[in-house]
Amino acid sequence: MYDFTIIGAGIVGSLIARELSKYDLKVCVLEKENDVANVQTRANSAIVHSGHDPKHGTLKARLSVEGNKLYEDLEKELHISLLRTGAFVCAKDKDEVNDMKKLYENALLNQVKDMEFLSIEEARVLEPNLNPSIKKVLSLPTTKVCFPWEVAFFALENAIKNGVELHRNALVTEITHTNHMFTIKTKDNQTYQTKHVINAAGVYTDEIATLINPNIPYQIKPRKGEYYVLDKSVKGYMEHVIYPMPSKKGKGVLITPQVHGNILLGPTSEWVSDKDDISTSLKGLHYIKEHIKDMAINVPYHLIIRQFAGVRSTSTYEDFYIQEDDAVKGFYHVAGVDSPGITAAPAIAKYLVDEVIKLSLPVKHTFNPILQKKIVYKDLSKQEKDELHQDKPLYGRIICKCEDITEQEIIDAIHGPLGSDTIKGVKKRARAGSGLCQGGYCESLVLRIIARETHKPLHEVNYDQKETQILDKESKVGS
Amino acid sequence: MKQSYDITIIGAGAAGLSAALEAYDDTLDILIIEREKNFGGILNQCIHNGFGLHVFKEELTGPEYAQKLIDLVMEKQIDYLLDTTVLNISKDEVFSIKATNITSGEFIIESKSVILTTGCYERARGHVDIPGDRPKGIMTAGSAQRYLNIDGYLVGKKVFILGSGDIGLIMARRMTLEGATVLGVAELMPYSNGLTRNIVQCLNDFDIPLYLSHTIKEVVGKEKLEKVIIQQVDENRQFIENTEKTFEVDTLLLSIGLIPDVKLFESLSIDTDPLTKSALVNQKLETSVKGLYACGNALHVHDLVDDVTIESRKAGKYAKAYVINQKDIDKKQVPIRFDHHIRYVVPQVVDYHLIDEPFDVLFRATQKHDVLKLVIKQGDQVIRKKTLKYVVPAEMQKVQIKPEDLINDLPIEIMVEEV
């Protein structure tokens, strides 16, 4: 019997798991995917917003400002990557300049610190590639960029080390509530009994919730966003996050430097009916280019190395919906977490545990908030490299030549409490295949390493989900 | 192994081996560094024939072509490091090459001259806009070639190919022979981007349709590729309505272009050519960094490995001359100019202080011409005329310039006489 079962191992579920792992509780996380942080957390702008645009008084406003600050703690404790970019909001005409004053007032009420207005000339001293026709700029120095996948991954790894259990490929199909106890059934025929349920299932929160209560006050209406990724050789083109003025459709198409040196252009914002729709479209990609024009010049489109799309779990409730269910006590909703969800995630976890669940337990003496820093070999000093290489010679062999990733780092990605035996899983953990050639060179090498490390034939190695083997079995063994 | 060399060659494919053989001299210390565990580079996975007719006067497979070069390198006992990756290069008095391998970890090698022969990489899905779902089953033709010819696996049974580059054409035949069905090849341009012989021998001979002026409208399949939808485009590359064709396939191979792999240029401030996406070189194949040479597909993408060998021999020869003479000659570089009928030229500049022998100017046309009349000028004066027949962008052309052709110090201009 678990005290808490969290449904969904995205950035929100993972940070909630870590928050609960402070206490002497039995906690488990159920994830439908074969990997953590695989849906909403994987495909977004990666911005830790300053909290300037959510309407003052909303939970979104409060938790994004608080979350922004909490990222500093995550950097110290989990050693997440954090890029202190600051941001420029750009007004392109007179109307937008007027709206920008209102945006500033709202941000002041939200207690966003250190903001200032800049003329375009002042802004262009810092960012020469801003479009000179921009009328006014609002500088937001507290804006940062994280690597959301890593935040979720490190938070959950830390939670696991503090006693939390994770079950992957565990799609919840049934929840029943009797005698103050929930029974959860999953598609892989497992049954979990738990005193409390936390529903952090992202775009599927409404479907999970209706398993236990058909009358919930929200519905998830997924919005898709498409992006371009520019190669890391673009570094220096733009060093701040560049926003247009926000509109009803959200924050608009942005220019966002990433922690690994790339730049993202996007997202679009389009309602979709299919919650798993991560397709890209010519229309969407065209829309990005059209809107980037207003903000920037000399856009290095020749450095595009990838397009992707993600879905955001926008809800009909409009604000975050973080509450205990009205009818079913012990069932908690963490729903409608769309932008600024990444920003707010650490604050959502605290708010849920401290103010909604109102857990008042002492922190267990064995709790260790510190996660040992992951080894990124290329970032180490010569002396550190030599010491590691002495012990593990495979740190000496480069596998991904674009990102300088060594064989040992790939082995580290495969093993460990949160390891993965897929090409995509290794890519997310070690970045092999994230560079200029997009895996054209290293994919076959990574596939061989996975096969060797997991004692599988080459044709059993999956690209991503189950049954997505890259190599055709019959062509080898004969049929 | 020494810590200091006269010439270091980075890459042991056709270009690296050919350059090393020509640079060889028993008074010089030469080192070859290769990241793979074997010599030969991409030739190892090119098990089809058609290599070597110009250089070795016989028709060879890729591995056979490589082996001929490897045997010669072994014979000359040139130093080499396999399974070793160069991380970056810097230059002070001499070049400092930072490399890494299992045996030594990170280490530095000094060298008076460096020849970069790091080859090229294939454009992948992300380099162009291929809209639709993001399933497994989409990969470059070269990746599929490696899986088939090195690892011994097909990547799928029902295949569609985007782009008519040579690797895609070769793979259309290769996968057919291994039992897969290739449903077609779509090419955005109104002409093929592969060699004519490959269109005939790899597509026509196997009744594989080539859809010119077609590209992918959408790929479909959540986790695994299920189908590709192609559509015809007009001369402005806009889709023409009601021309969609759907193919149910499990594999989409991309053969949409090769780009020189120039990552090692990043640590050196080097003049580059946006047209070749590689270094700008003079007629001695020397980059803007003195003593640094580039050749083979790392310089510009070649159609034939024989051409790579011919070019790389020159780089080897000039690097050797540089190390032996080491004279400080003032540069007098002028650009080679060309009109819109030409996509790019190599070399991009000519150094008039280094004119001592004839040199080739290689180029590609921007479109197909049955007859192409070239006029080569210096200022207002015509120094040469040349007529080329059946010129297509997929096939590299060359013009030789002799020292006696040059009559002044003005830039060379290659222009096309309107037909």
Side-chain angles (χ1 to χ4, degrees):
Chain A
M1 167 84 90
Y2 294 99
D3 293 303
F4 284 90
T5 296
I6 301 161
I7 301 172
I11 191 168
V12 172
S14 298
L15 283 160
I16 292 169
R18 178 170 184 258
E19 202 57 35
L20 290 174
S21 75
K22 290 178 180 170
Y23 308 103
D24 195 8
L25 295 167
K26 205 162 154 16
V27 178
C28 92
V29 182
L30 303 181
E31 171 54 54
K32 75 173 166 59
E33 300 279 310
N34 70 343
D35 206 352
V36 304
N38 221 31
V39 186
Q40 221 182 164
T41 308
R42 190 175 79 181
N44 54 72
S45 304
I47 303 171
V48 179
H49 300 282
S50 59
H52 61 291
D53 80 315
K55 193 164 172 261
H56 180 63
T58 60
L59 208 46
K60 278 187 177 181
R62 179 190 150 189
L63 296 183
S64 55
V65 174
E66 287 178 13
N68 181 300
K69 289 188 196 116
L70 288 172
Y71 267 88
E72 307 278 340
D73 297 341
L74 295 181
E75 186 188 35
K76 286 186 205 103
E77 294 173 352
L78 301 178
H79 298 106
I80 61 159
S81 319
L82 205 55
L83 197 64
R84 288 173 176 77
T85 54
F88 288 163
V89 187
C90 302
K92 67 176 188 294
D93 55 34
K94 224 169 143 189
D95 288 347
E96 289 196 349
V97 172
N98 283 331
D99 290 344
M100 187 178 262
K101 285 177 196 142
K102 291 176 214 152
L103 183 71
Y104 175 80
E105 295 301 325
N106 184 67
L108 269 186
L109 291 172
N110 289 351
Q111 298 189 353
V112 176
K113 303 278 183 235
D114 305 325
M115 294 182 291
E116 58 176 331
F117 286 106
L118 301 177
S119 68
I120 181 61
E121 292 75 22
E122 289 167 320
R124 272 170 55 86
V125 172
L126 297 163
E127 292 289 8
N129 290 310
L130 280 178
N131 189 329
S133 70
I134 290 168
K135 296 288 176 270
K136 207 175 181 82
V137 171
L138 175 61
S139 166
L140 305 167
T142 55
T143 306
K144 312 175 202 24
V145 174
C146 69
F147 179 27
W149 190 89
E150 180 191 75
V151 177
F153 185 81
F154 287 179
L156 197 52
E157 190 171 343
N158 185 238
I160 289 170
K161 286 191 171 144
N162 285 303
V164 169
E165 283 176 30
L166 167 69
H167 299 275
R168 291 186 253 189
N169 298 307
L171 174 71
V172 172
T173 51
E174 198 183 310
I175 308 175
T176 48
H177 186 224
T178 43
N179 300 330
H180 305 289
M181 185 187 86
F182 295 88
T183 302
I184 300 173
K185 288 197 172 143
T186 57
K187 202 182 169 192
D188 55 349
N189 289 321
Q190 300 294 312
T191 303
Y192 301 86
Q193 292 187 321
T194 182
K195 289 180 195 160
H196 308 271
V197 176
I198 296 169
N199 175 13
V203 280
Y204 289 97
T205 34
D206 53 350
E207 290 173 44
I208 292 290
T210 47
L211 291 175
I212 194 108
N213 178 1
N215 302 311
I216 49 163
Y218 62 89
Q219 197 189 341
I220 303 298
K221 296 268 191 196
R223 262 185 321 136
K224 183 169 79 173
E226 298 182 39
Y227 293 86
Y228 275 121
V229 186
L230 304 180
D231 180 57
K232 67 180 189 307
S233 59
V234 74
K235 204 169 181 181
Y237 170 74
M238 206 64 93
E239 291 180 341
H240 291 71
V241 173
I242 308 298
Y243 299 101
M245 281 295 290
S247 71
K248 276 189 185 139
K249 280 181 113 179
K251 294 186 184 68
V253 177
L254 323 174
I255 302 170
T256 312
Q258 298 290 296
V259 298
H260 298 106
N262 309 79
I263 284 181
L264 290 188
L265 305 176
T268 58
S269 179
E270 187 196 348
W271 300 107
V272 286
S273 49
D274 176 0
K275 290 178 173 177
D276 296 320
D277 181 358
I278 53 163
S279 63
T280 53
S281 65
L282 287 181
K283 195 177 135 211
L285 297 172
H286 182 73
Y287 181 91
I288 294 172
K289 289 184 177 175
E290 276 302 300
H291 284 75
I292 290 291
K293 264 203 312 228
D294 294 338
M295 294 186 296
I297 53 170
N298 306 322
V299 189
Y301 289 119
H302 63 283
L303 294 177
I304 291 170
I305 56 169
R306 196 171 185 83
Q307 308 84 24
F308 71 88
V311 279
R312 288 158 275 184
S313 56
T314 301
S315 88
T316 49
Y317 184 76
E318 293 190 344
D319 200 359
F320 295 153
Y321 187 80
I322 306 172
Q323 292 182 26
E324 186 171 15
D325 191 85
D326 290 338
V328 187
K329 293 297 153 195
F331 188 95
Y332 297 92
H333 303 270
V334 186
V337 184
D338 60 351
S339 180
I342 298 290
T343 311
I348 289 173
K350 273 202 190 317
Y351 172 77
L352 173 74
V353 173
D354 297 345
E355 297 182 42
V356 179
I357 302 174
K358 298 193 178 82
L359 209 57
S360 57
L361 293 171
V363 172
K364 65 188 179 191
H365 70 278
T366 53
F367 175 70
N368 181 3
I370 309 296
L371 185 73
Q372 205 188 357
K373 196 172 181 192
K374 188 185 109 178
I375 292 170
V376 179
Y377 191 73
K378 68 175 169 187
D379 294 343
L380 302 178
S381 71
K382 176 78 170 85
Q383 193 189 340
E384 289 169 317
K385 282 180 183 169
D386 287 347
E387 280 168 20
L388 279 172
H389 170 258
Q390 202 109 56
D391 189 33
K392 290 179 174 170
L394 291 175
Y395 278 121
R397 179 187 281 149
I398 299 287
I399 297 295
C400 169
K401 66 182 176 62
C402 299
E403 300 286 316
D404 290 340
I405 311 297
T406 67
E407 181 159 356
Q408 186 60 48
E409 288 168 273
I410 287 164
I411 294 171
D412 294 345
I414 297 167
H415 299 302
L418 261 178
S420 172
D421 59 359
T422 70
I423 297 285
K424 204 123 184 218
V426 167
K427 179 182 173 183
K428 282 179 281 186
R429 286 161 179 76
R431 289 187 58 70
S434 305
L436 188 58
C437 87
Q438 289 288 295
Y441 176 69
C442 69
E443 185 192 274
S444 71
L445 303 175
V446 171
L447 189 141
R448 279 178 171 266
I449 296 167
I450 293 171
R452 183 190 72 208
E453 293 294 317
T454 58
H455 310 288
K456 278 195 270 208
L458 297 179
H459 59 252
E460 283 181 18
V461 176
N462 283 313
Y463 171 69
D464 188 11
Q465 305 290 337
K466 281 181 182 170
E467 306 296 323
T468 58
Q469 295 89 345
I470 288 179
L471 303 178
D472 180 58
K473 181 185 171 189
E474 286 168 25
S475 65
K476 190 70 173 182
V477 300
S479 49
Chain B
M1 200 194 80
K2 305 178 187 70
Q3 285 179 344
S4 171
Y5 283 86
D6 292 307
I7 301 172
T8 302
I9 294 131
I10 302 172
L17 296 171
S18 305
L21 288 169
E22 201 66 26
Y24 175 79
D25 183 308
D26 51 16
T27 65
L28 296 182
D29 288 325
I30 298 176
L31 173 68
I32 304 173
I33 303 178
E34 164 60 43
R35 67 170 179 236
E36 298 259 350
K37 292 170 190 164
N38 303 297
F39 293 105
I42 215 73
L43 283 171
N44 291 328
Q45 69 186 56
C46 300
I47 63 169
H48 51 282
N49 62 354
F51 302 95
L53 282 168
H54 301 279
V55 167
F56 295 113
K57 311 294 176 215
E58 58 179 314
E59 196 170 14
L60 304 167
T61 64
E64 285 172 333
Y65 188 101
Q67 195 60 47
K68 283 196 176 271
L69 297 172
I70 296 165
D71 289 346
L72 292 167
V73 165
M74 291 297 120
E75 215 172 90
K76 295 197 155 75
Q77 298 189 323
I78 296 172
D79 279 5
Y80 60 85
L81 284 168
L82 295 175
D83 200 5
T84 302
T85 304
V86 174
L87 297 166
N88 65 53
I89 307 171
S90 56
K91 192 187 180 196
D92 198 3
E93 278 294 294
V94 294
F95 291 94
S96 186
I97 300 162
K98 193 203 269 184
T100 180
N101 63 24
I102 292 185
T103 323
S104 314
E106 256 183 45
F107 59 97
I108 304 275
I109 285 184
E110 296 197 327
S111 189
K112 287 179 195 160
S113 173
V114 172
I115 309 177
L116 265 179
T117 61
T118 46
C120 57
Y121 67 91
E122 295 176 280
R123 289 170 91 192
R125 177 176 184 182
H127 299 111
V128 294
D129 290 342
I130 299 176
D133 291 326
R134 315 199 60 81
K136 81 108 193 180
I138 302 173
M139 66 172 74
T140 62
S143 296
Q145 188 180 46
R146 188 181 166 107
Y147 283 128
L148 184 51
N149 294 346
I150 305 285
D151 297 315
Y153 282 98
L154 279 172
V155 293
K157 292 272 178 57
K158 293 182 85 181
V159 184
F160 194 83
I161 299 175
L162 175 65
S164 59
D166 287 307
I167 313 174
L169 302 177
I170 297 281
M171 282 310 288
R173 175 176 65 186
R174 182 79 184 102
M175 291 190 78
T176 305
L177 292 174
E178 285 294 332
T181 308
V182 179
L183 282 83
V185 178
E187 169 57 56
L188 177 67
M189 305 306 286
Y191 50 82
S192 157
N193 266 313
L195 298 173
T196 311
R197 72 173 190 206
N198 285 335
I199 298 287
V200 175
Q201 294 170 11
C202 300
L203 298 186
N204 300 356
D205 287 359
F206 295 88
D207 295 328
I208 297 168
L210 171 62
Y211 300 97
L212 294 174
S213 300
H214 277 73
T215 194
I216 290 189
K217 190 193 178 200
E218 193 182 359
V219 297
V220 181
K222 280 272 158 66
E223 290 177 3
K224 292 192 257 191
L225 181 63
E226 290 163 19
K227 58 187 175 189
V228 299
I229 302 164
I230 66 167
Q231 194 169 352
Q232 197 177 343
V233 294
D234 62 22
E235 55 272 28
N236 301 315
R237 299 190 191 176
Q238 298 300 307
F239 284 119
I240 301 171
E241 295 215 11
N242 303 319
T243 56
E244 291 101 333
K245 293 181 187 64
T246 300
F247 299 89
E248 289 185 11
V249 290
D250 57 23
T251 303
L252 172 65
L253 297 187
L254 307 176
S255 183
I256 50 179
L258 301 169
I259 315 277
D261 184 345
V262 296
K263 186 185 174 225
L264 293 176
F265 290 158
E266 279 169 16
S267 45
L268 295 153
S269 51
I270 197 168
D271 293 346
T272 55
D273 178 357
L275 301 173
T276 56
K277 298 184 168 66
S278 180
L280 182 144
V281 293
N282 64 23
Q283 78 274 24
K284 301 289 182 188
L285 300 168
E286 190 183 32
T287 66
S288 60
V289 175
K290 229 171 189 180
L292 180 71
Y293 296 80
C295 57
N297 285 350
L299 179 60
H300 62 126
V301 176
H302 296 65
D303 314 330
L304 301 173
V305 72
D306 297 70
D307 292 340
V308 167
T309 288
I310 291 162
E311 180 177 276
S312 304
R313 283 174 175 168
K314 290 178 187 165
K317 176 177 146 185
Y318 300 135
K320 177 163 77 175
Y322 167 81
V323 171
I324 291 173
N325 300 327
Q326 280 257 333
K327 277 188 295 191
D328 246 334
I329 307 169
D330 284 345
K331 288 195 167 179
K332 180 163 180 42
Q333 296 200 148
V334 292
I336 297 180
R337 296 189 180 136
F338 49 93
D339 69 12
H340 68 279
H341 294 90
I342 291 173
R343 198 197 293 169
Y344 72 78
V345 297
V346 172
Q348 293 88 347
V349 297
V350 176
D351 194 324
Y352 282 155
H353 284 169
L354 297 174
I355 298 284
D356 50 6
E357 60 178 4
F359 60 92
D360 290 335
V361 177
L362 306 175
F363 69 91
R364 280 182 200 277
T366 42
Q367 53 187 327
K368 192 173 153 183
H369 299 269
D370 290 330
V371 178
L372 190 67
K373 290 184 175 171
L374 292 178
V375 184
I376 299 146
K377 302 200 291 191
Q378 279 190 302
D380 293 338
Q381 307 212 44
V382 175
I383 58 168
R384 280 278 303 282
K385 284 195 173 195
K386 182 164 181 172
T387 301
L388 298 165
K389 282 191 180 157
Y390 192 68
V391 174
V392 291
E395 297 184 9
M396 198 156 69
Q397 309 294 328
K398 71 178 175 192
V399 195
Q400 195 183 54
I401 311 273
K402 298 193 179 78
E404 58 269 30
D405 292 337
L406 300 170
I407 50 176
N408 56 40
D409 283 354
L410 295 171
I412 296 170
E413 295 181 29
I414 303 176
M415 300 296 166
V416 172
E417 264 189 342
E418 298 296 337
V419 190

